[in-house]
Amino acid sequence: MRNQLDTHLEQPKQSLYSLFKHALSGNNQQDLTQGSIGKAAFLLSVPMVLEMMMESVFAITDIFFVSVLGPAAISVVGLTEAVITLLYAVAIGLGMAVTATVARRVGEKNIQGANQVATQTIWLGLGVALAVGIPGSIYAIDILHLMGATEDVTSMGEGYTSVMLGGCASILFLFLFNAIFRGAGDAKIAMKSLWLASGINIVLDPILIFGWGPFPEMGLTGAAVATTIGRSIGVLYQLYHLFSVSGKIQIFVAKLNIDLAVIWGILKVSFGGVLQFLIATASWVFLVRIVSHFGSDAVAGYTIAIRVVMFTMLPAWGLSNAAATLVGQNLGAKQAARAEKSVWVITKYNVAFMLTVACAFYFFSASIIGLFSDNSDLIQYGTQCLQFVAYGYGFYAVGMTLVQAFNGAGDTMTPTAINFVCYWLLQIPLAYWLAINLEMGPSGVFAAIPLASLCIGIIALAVFRKGHWKTKQV
């Protein structure tokens, strides 16, 4: 991988260590439309990968502490998270549009236009937060019942689900504001905000769950409170930088008025992004709903396995985010060939990373799941899930990067179509048929996951090579 990178570096050559320091130095004036593609990709990727690694660490730490409360508590987290992924879909979809639009304006050297997009993002996030948070908090029990929760799971999870959905504004704004920073190429600020949020989560988790020191023992609800507090502080950190005079992108108090034209422009681009991720996340909701047919141990094993998957998936997602920024800025600078070359460089890195992780999953899955529980049935389900997912990791690495490239170009409808075919027309029916009709149980659900990854990789590659994304206007 280092040889690949070195071939793209500008003269004089820099060591990987000096490049790493540069990536974290806070220099947000890097022009991503000029010079070495490898260097630009590296400088963007390092903070983006580190950003997602901290989120991954939190996801694992959170489920580790929750697992002490038993399989029912883990099931609550899994079922609630399946619902919250729908909110993630909206946040990520809107974020895709924000990143693509900001990156395009920055590539055009139109910083005032980028500032305007950032300002209107606040109003978009507020509207979605109110629409989701209020009913989500009020109807927490009904939501758990709808997801197939048993009575013991519902009684334990009401507080957790209510707080998580009621505090959804922290999730939305953390995603949306980081989308602004990524589009501008200020990846270090995005990294620091998520590190701050996740770090506070990790510290508060055991304190509030188990009641350490002067704090009350809140049990499972404490995990939700810790998450909401941590993410809210991360959002405050983001706002500090957005209102700072030293940032590349700035929001001015005097210009906080609503601009419907800009909001409509973001919504037009984000429609495909939101739909794209709603399709993908709804698929995971259906999968966990199918798994719930087989009891709390199956749901708990699946939940732990998916948290472990996310531990590795999020850094790869961070690498893919670099592709989105490079594509957006280079298309804005009328350099389509450079945009395409950037995508291929990042795809190679992502495939190498994901295949390495796949090997670890395949050979050490039982040991990994065993770190979270000594329940033999839970370990069996979790092990099966990790091993099946590993089969599709290489294909998903390709699909993930290319899909983000489409999104960075503002072409959000192409990934939407790909997700619809691979998740709804393939993964969900196949999972149900294997698990229920063929009586394979949860392993039937797990087997459908890598097949969907294969489908995504193949279709995304074929469409990307056609090059229609290069002509997309934002």
Side-chain angles (χ1 to χ4, degrees):
M1 183 179 295
R2 177 169 179 171
N3 289 335
Q4 283 182 314
L5 180 63
D6 287 343
T7 62
H8 294 284
L9 299 183
E10 293 174 302
Q11 298 295 332
K13 292 184 179 180
Q14 296 174 266
S15 68
L16 286 177
Y17 177 70
S18 64
L19 280 172
F20 187 83
K21 287 177 61 179
H22 186 190
L24 301 181
S25 67
N27 177 16
N28 57 19
Q29 303 305 316
Q30 176 75 24
D31 189 346
L32 302 177
T33 65
Q34 302 293 329
S36 162
I37 291 176
K39 181 176 180 180
F42 188 83
L43 293 178
L44 265 181
S45 298
V46 167
M48 287 184 178
V49 170
L50 290 177
E51 170 193 350
M52 292 302 178
M53 281 183 68
M54 176 52 97
E55 180 71 8
S56 299
V57 169
F58 165 69
I60 290 295
T61 305
D62 183 59
I63 202 66
F64 177 79
F65 289 124
V66 169
S67 66
V68 176
L69 303 177
I74 300 173
S75 294
V76 170
V77 174
L79 295 173
T80 303
E81 198 163 82
V83 175
I84 290 179
T85 52
L86 299 177
L87 175 65
Y88 288 155
V90 175
I92 294 172
L94 288 172
M96 291 286 183
V98 171
T99 295
T101 309
V102 169
R104 193 66 69 95
R105 299 293 89 83
V106 170
E108 296 166 350
K109 305 299 187 281
N110 180 9
I111 301 302
Q112 183 178 351
N115 291 342
Q116 200 171 18
V117 173
T119 302
Q120 300 311 307
T121 298
I122 293 178
W123 296 111
L124 277 173
L126 184 60
V128 175
L130 292 174
V132 175
I134 294 175
S137 179
I138 294 173
Y139 298 106
I141 291 181
D142 300 287
I143 291 171
L144 286 173
H145 279 308
L146 184 64
M147 290 301 298
T150 58
E151 287 303 322
D152 60 324
V153 170
T154 302
S155 61
M156 174 180 282
E158 179 183 1
Y160 177 89
T161 303
S162 179
V163 172
M164 287 297 292
L165 292 176
C168 69
S170 63
I171 298 173
L172 277 164
F173 282 120
L174 200 62
F175 272 96
L176 293 179
F177 291 157
N178 270 357
I180 295 171
F181 293 124
R182 293 191 194 102
D186 290 348
K188 189 178 81 75
I189 302 299
M191 176 195 74
K192 283 190 170 183
S193 64
L194 202 56
W195 273 59
L196 177 63
S198 298
I200 292 172
N201 287 348
I202 291 171
V203 172
L204 289 181
D205 245 350
I207 292 176
L208 298 182
I209 291 173
F210 306 117
W212 290 358
F215 296 91
E217 182 179 345
M218 301 178 69
L220 184 58
T221 303
V225 173
T227 297
T228 303
I229 291 174
R231 285 176 170 158
S232 297
I233 293 175
V235 170
L236 292 176
Y237 176 82
Q238 293 171 318
L239 285 171
Y240 168 78
H241 282 280
L242 286 172
F243 283 93
S244 171
V245 296
S246 61
K248 179 181 288 187
I249 303 299
Q250 298 177 33
I251 294 177
F252 300 96
V253 175
K255 297 183 178 181
L256 277 174
N257 56 300
I258 297 176
D259 189 326
L260 293 179
V262 175
I263 290 177
W264 177 243
I266 296 173
L267 288 175
K268 283 195 297 184
V269 178
S270 69
F271 175 76
V274 172
L275 188 59
Q276 167 190 157
F277 279 90
L278 278 175
I279 290 171
T281 53
S283 172
W284 292 101
V285 172
F286 280 114
L287 292 189
V288 76
R289 187 66 180 86
I290 296 172
V291 172
S292 70
H293 280 83
F294 305 98
S296 295
D297 286 341
V299 174
Y302 173 80
T303 299
I304 290 176
I306 293 302
R307 282 293 182 102
V308 173
V309 167
M310 293 307 297
F311 178 76
T312 57
M313 194 75 78
L314 284 174
W317 185 260
L319 196 58
S320 299
N321 283 336
T325 300
L326 287 168
V327 166
Q329 291 201 17
N330 282 291
L331 288 182
K334 310 299 182 185
Q335 298 189 63
R338 179 182 172 86
E340 182 174 3
K341 189 173 181 181
S342 301
V343 175
W344 293 127
V345 170
I346 292 176
T347 299
K348 292 177 183 177
Y349 299 157
N350 224 357
V351 170
F353 170 73
M354 294 285 272
L355 287 179
T356 301
V357 174
C359 291
F361 277 0
Y362 188 80
F363 292 107
F364 304 108
S365 54
S367 299
I368 293 171
I369 301 298
L371 294 173
F372 300 89
S373 175
D374 58 2
N375 183 310
S376 59
D377 289 336
L378 185 155
I379 292 174
Q380 179 184 354
Y381 290 127
T383 298
Q384 288 178 349
C385 185
L386 280 188
Q387 289 181 337
F388 272 112
V389 169
Y391 292 130
Y393 251 35
F395 303 108
Y396 193 68
V398 174
M400 177 192 300
T401 309
L402 298 183
V403 160
Q404 281 297 82
F406 290 130
N407 289 323
D411 180 12
T412 56
M413 291 307 297
T414 293
T416 300
I418 292 173
N419 283 353
F420 179 76
V421 171
C422 298
Y423 288 125
W424 282 20
L425 298 187
L426 174 65
Q427 183 172 263
I428 295 173
L430 181 62
Y432 187 88
W433 182 66
L434 293 175
I436 306 298
N437 291 24
L438 293 189
E439 300 182 352
M440 291 178 62
S443 62
V445 177
F446 307 151
I449 296 174
L451 292 175
S453 297
L454 171 63
C455 180
I456 290 171
I458 292 175
I459 295 178
L461 182 61
V463 176
F464 183 81
R465 286 186 177 278
K466 292 184 177 180
H468 299 311
W469 54 274
K470 297 176 185 178
T471 61
K472 181 70 177 179
Q473 298 298 314
V474 176

